[in-house]
Amino acid sequence: MNDTAAGGNAAQLTRDVETVVRELAETGNLRKGQLLVIGVSTSEVLGQRIGTSGTLETARAIYEGIEAVRGELGFFPVFQCCEHLNRALVMEREAAERYGLELVSAVPVRKAGGSMAAYAFGALRDAVLTETVQAHAGIDIGDTFIGMHLKRVAVPVRPSIRSIGSAHVTMAVTRPKLIGGERAVYSRPSESDAESGNCD
């Protein structure tokens, strides 16, 4: 079954991915140098069971949608491998070094890593693998489960496009934990507010 018959044409996949990445970046105020973890089952995009029918052509279409936004905003895309590589992550060496991440050794391929990770490993500049990250935001295309690689606290974002090809899409941004008790304040006070009350 070819890509066009199963999951829509490549150009449409690219446009849809670009749309949801832009929505996530806007909602989460994704900034230059932050990490966006991406889990993709190209098999699910093509209407097949996860891990059975992925293609590099589908991965390329998805990658191009991500790159369209990354080129403007400057975030680091991080691509999750499949369980055969213990959900290790493909990213640029610059990102791994900036966040002090330990590298692991493997070369993702379609049958061990998945088509998306394999394609990204060849497309990213100086690609490396790390075992885990705490990303600022994430997109899951095909229910691959990226939650283990998100910072706390994850906040779901509902995309305007609920499927990429035939794959279900979920997204999340993250926020710092809210700390304190009943007297805690979570927005910056005005000058008058700051002068009232005490904590002695």
Side-chain angles (χ1 to χ4, degrees), residues 17-75:
V17 169
E18 180 177 349
T19 295
V20 298
V21 173
R22 285 190 188 284
E23 290 174 357
L24 183 66
E26 182 176 340
T27 300
N29 191 28
L30 198 60
R31 299 187 303 277
K32 182 176 181 179
Q34 291 190 321
L35 301 175
L36 171 61
V37 65
I38 303 142
V40 177
S41 168
T42 59
S43 297
E44 293 278 337
V45 171
L46 296 174
Q48 303 299 309
R49 184 170 56 83
I50 192 168
T52 61
S53 307
T55 70
L56 295 175
E57 292 79 11
T58 303
R60 179 187 299 114
I62 292 167
Y63 184 89
E64 288 174 356
I66 296 162
E67 278 295 293
V69 187
R70 190 266 276 261
E72 296 174 16
L73 301 183
F75 59 80

Side-chain angles (χ1 to χ4, degrees), residues 52 73 79 83 179 186:
T52 61
L73 301 183
F79 295 89
E83 71 273 16
I179 62 168
Y186 300 112

Side-chain angles (χ1 to χ4, degrees), residues 5-168:
N9 65 56
Q12 186 63 54
L13 292 178
T14 299
R15 286 192 296 271
D16 288 350
V17 169
E18 180 177 349
T19 295
V20 298
V21 173
R22 285 190 188 284
E23 290 174 357
L24 183 66
E26 182 176 340
T27 300
N29 191 28
L30 198 60
R31 299 187 303 277
K32 182 176 181 179
Q34 291 190 321
L35 301 175
L36 171 61
V37 65
I38 303 142
V40 177
S41 168
T42 59
S43 297
E44 293 278 337
V45 171
L46 296 174
Q48 303 299 309
R49 184 170 56 83
I50 192 168
T52 61
S53 307
T55 70
L56 295 175
E57 292 79 11
T58 303
R60 179 187 299 114
I62 292 167
Y63 184 89
E64 288 174 356
I66 296 162
E67 278 295 293
V69 187
R70 190 266 276 261
E72 296 174 16
L73 301 183
F75 59 80
F76 288 118
V78 178
F79 295 89
Q80 179 179 261
C81 295
C82 72
E83 71 273 16
H84 296 104
L85 289 185
N86 297 330
R87 304 210 183 279
L89 301 130
V90 177
M91 66 179 69
E92 292 180 342
R93 186 180 301 275
E94 180 186 353
E97 290 178 350
R98 177 178 293 195
Y99 287 94
L101 302 174
E102 183 176 356
L103 302 187
V104 293
S105 293
V107 175
V109 295
R110 285 183 58 219
K111 296 295 186 183
S115 295
M116 189 73 247
Y119 184 83
F121 194 82
L124 288 172
R125 181 171 50 86
D126 197 10
V128 296
L129 246 63
T130 63
E131 197 165 26
T132 186
V133 298
Q134 289 188 312
H136 302 89
I139 296 180
D140 191 333
I141 301 172
D143 298 323
T144 67
F145 297 113
I146 59 167
M148 63 191 290
H149 295 307
L150 288 173
K151 284 175 163 295
R152 294 184 176 180
V153 174
V155 180
V157 175
R158 303 296 181 217
S160 63
I161 297 171
R162 296 301 181 97
S163 297
I164 302 295
S166 296
H168 179 232

